[in-house]
Amino acid sequence: MILVTGGTGLVGAHLLFELAHKHEKLRAIARSTSNTQAVRKVFGYYRNTAEADRLFKKIEWIRADINDIPSLEKAFENVEYVYHSAALISFDPSDEKKLRKINIEGTANIVNQCIHNKIKKLCYVSSVAAIGNPLNKAVVDETAKWIPEEDHSNYAISKYGAEIEAWRGTQEGIDTVIVNPGIILGPGFWNSGSGRIFSKIDQGLNYHFPKISGFVGVHDVVKSMIQLMESPIVNKNYIVVAENISFEEVFKMTAKHLNKPAPAKKLKKWMIALGWFFQKIGSWFGLKREITYESINGLYAETQYSNKKLTEELNFSFEPIEKMIGDTAEIYRKEH
């Protein structure tokens, strides 16, 4: 039996679709508030109604929470392999405790269940945010060292802490692989994560910013996870990034494929600082913050990530980012 956590998210939904082709029975965790039909919708992007229904019915949904031990114990019954993709993504400083609770403590609970049930292999979905800074190198790779004293977001700290829990599991006999994806692009979740790029461009986004980072399509993330789990590779982590490009380029590609005007104005630092100021005031009244003081300079940073380890050790090839954007934009247009 294969267990997938975070099955109703972008990575989890696409992972379940791919696994359903290869296995007769799957189990996925969904919280009581999660919408499993969002996963069925994703299946429908790639197959006709009858086939999508057939594949979706292979999933045994367990209502559980990674911070609720009794429900996890039920979910882990007869499980041999685990894909752990459940996580909270937030850059709001007020979510610090939630990030630690879900990402670190939740991962510790998953690892403990893996140890208790003697599962054969665990794949943990981390992030490039948990990768440290390069040692005298211009490009970040898996040898980068995490320096606690440096300025890290609460999200990055929580993902790094979760990785420590995953590595702890390896010391207690659990074969593990960790993937560190960059910014993941893919269809189905237009109001969260990178999906908002498509909805914002569609609504008429005016500004762009020059930050360069690593981007990857969701299909490549899932493909790398499955290949690593099916390989003899254990107790290693891999950066999963297809291309290092700027948000300005991503916005332009998205606009082109949505047949919308590309954002023409460059976002100035003073504009972001002003936004941070008003969001900080708004937070006093319970409004969500998406801009932190530390992120202001980050929007102008250039971070290059190396995918050499993955491409060489797995003979892995990535889909071009523009093709992923084009395919995702086509699905977006059909839905809207």
Side-chain angles (χ1 to χ4, degrees):
M1 175 70 76
I2 294 173
L3 175 66
V4 175
T5 75
T8 56
L10 176 64
V11 172
H14 285 84
L15 174 63
L16 286 169
F17 175 75
E18 293 298 332
L19 290 174
H21 287 88
K22 303 165 73 75
H23 303 276
E24 282 307 309
K25 196 169 184 182
L26 302 167
R27 185 179 292 160
I29 288 175
R31 290 174 299 164
S32 59
T33 56
S34 297
N35 177 19
T36 59
Q37 287 306 304
V39 181
R40 169 59 184 82
K41 181 183 72 169
V42 168
F43 281 36
Y45 293 156
Y46 309 109
R47 293 293 184 271
N48 62 39
T49 299
E51 180 64 5
D53 283 340
R54 185 185 73 82
L55 293 172
F56 184 71
K57 287 176 182 177
K58 289 185 175 184
I59 306 169
E60 175 193 357
W61 290 99
I62 299 288
R63 291 295 177 179
D65 189 294
I66 60 174
N67 285 118
D68 178 35
I69 305 302
S71 66
L72 276 186
E73 290 174 346
K74 180 181 178 182
F76 266 82
E77 290 178 359
N78 302 315
V79 166
E80 294 179 296
Y81 299 92
V82 176
Y83 290 87
H84 177 36
S85 64
L88 173 64
I89 302 174
S90 175
F91 296 94
D92 187 337
S94 67
D95 284 337
E96 179 183 1
K97 289 183 179 179
K98 286 184 181 178
L99 285 163
R100 292 175 181 268
K101 179 75 174 177
I102 295 171
N103 295 349
I104 301 177
E105 187 176 325
T107 299
N109 293 334
I110 293 295
V111 169
N112 290 340
Q113 289 298 317
C114 288
I115 295 168
H116 178 73
N117 291 277
K118 296 181 173 60
I119 67 106
K120 293 180 179 178
K121 200 168 185 179
L122 165 68
C123 176
Y124 171 56
V125 183
S126 185
S127 166
V128 291
I131 299 287
N133 290 320
L135 297 173
N136 302 317
K137 296 179 183 178
V139 178
V140 178
D141 63 17
E142 291 82 356
T143 65
K145 184 178 180 181
W146 178 274
I147 302 174
E149 293 78 15
E150 291 187 346
D151 190 20
H152 302 287
S153 68
N154 289 325
Y155 171 69
I157 293 169
S158 72
K159 295 300 280 186
Y160 177 74
E163 280 196 16
I164 291 175
E165 294 297 335
W167 292 126
R168 172 178 63 83
T170 68
Q171 299 301 307
E172 300 191 47
I174 302 301
D175 289 342
T176 301
V177 287
I178 297 175
V179 292
N180 296 90
I183 298 165
I184 304 172
L185 299 171
F189 299 84
W190 313 115
N191 297 316
S192 62
S194 65
R196 289 189 294 179
I197 293 174
F198 294 85
S199 57
K200 292 294 185 182
I201 294 289
D202 182 46
Q203 294 163 12
L205 187 66
N206 294 320
Y207 291 92
H208 63 79
F209 52 92
K211 178 181 175 65
I212 294 176
S213 191
F215 287 81
V216 63
V218 67
H219 302 307
D220 282 335
V221 176
V222 167
K223 183 173 75 170
S224 69
M225 293 166 65
I226 294 174
Q227 287 188 19
L228 285 167
M229 284 289 273
E230 293 179 348
S231 77
I233 295 171
V234 296
N235 304 341
K236 290 186 178 182
N237 71 307
Y238 293 84
I239 290 174
V240 186
V241 164
E243 298 176 37
N244 297 294
I245 53 177
S246 70
F247 276 83
E248 180 181 3
E249 291 177 86
V250 170
F251 289 175
K252 286 180 178 178
M253 291 179 195
T254 305
K256 181 180 77 172
H257 289 285
L258 288 177
N259 298 316
K260 295 287 183 177
K265 301 176 183 178
K266 182 178 178 179
L267 200 60
K268 306 293 185 182
K269 281 190 178 182
W270 67 264
M271 297 177 180
I272 307 170
L274 193 63
W276 166 80
F277 175 75
F278 284 114
Q279 281 196 1
K280 185 171 179 61
I281 292 176
S283 69
W284 300 342
F285 301 95
L287 299 179
K288 199 78 172 171
R289 288 176 62 186
E290 295 181 337
I291 303 172
T292 63
Y293 185 77
E294 293 79 11
S295 70
I296 295 174
N297 288 326
L299 291 177
Y300 292 82
E302 176 177 336
T303 309
Q304 303 274 345
Y305 295 96
S306 170
N307 60 21
K308 185 177 180 181
K309 183 178 177 181
L310 184 68
T311 56
E312 290 186 351
E313 293 190 16
L314 273 187
N315 193 26
F316 194 90
S317 59
F318 285 93
E319 184 178 51
I321 287 299
E322 179 150 18
K323 183 180 185 307
M324 185 70 237
I325 289 175
D327 292 346
T328 302
E330 182 179 356
I331 293 171
Y332 180 92
R333 291 200 308 272
K334 287 179 181 178
E335 282 196 8
H336 296 80

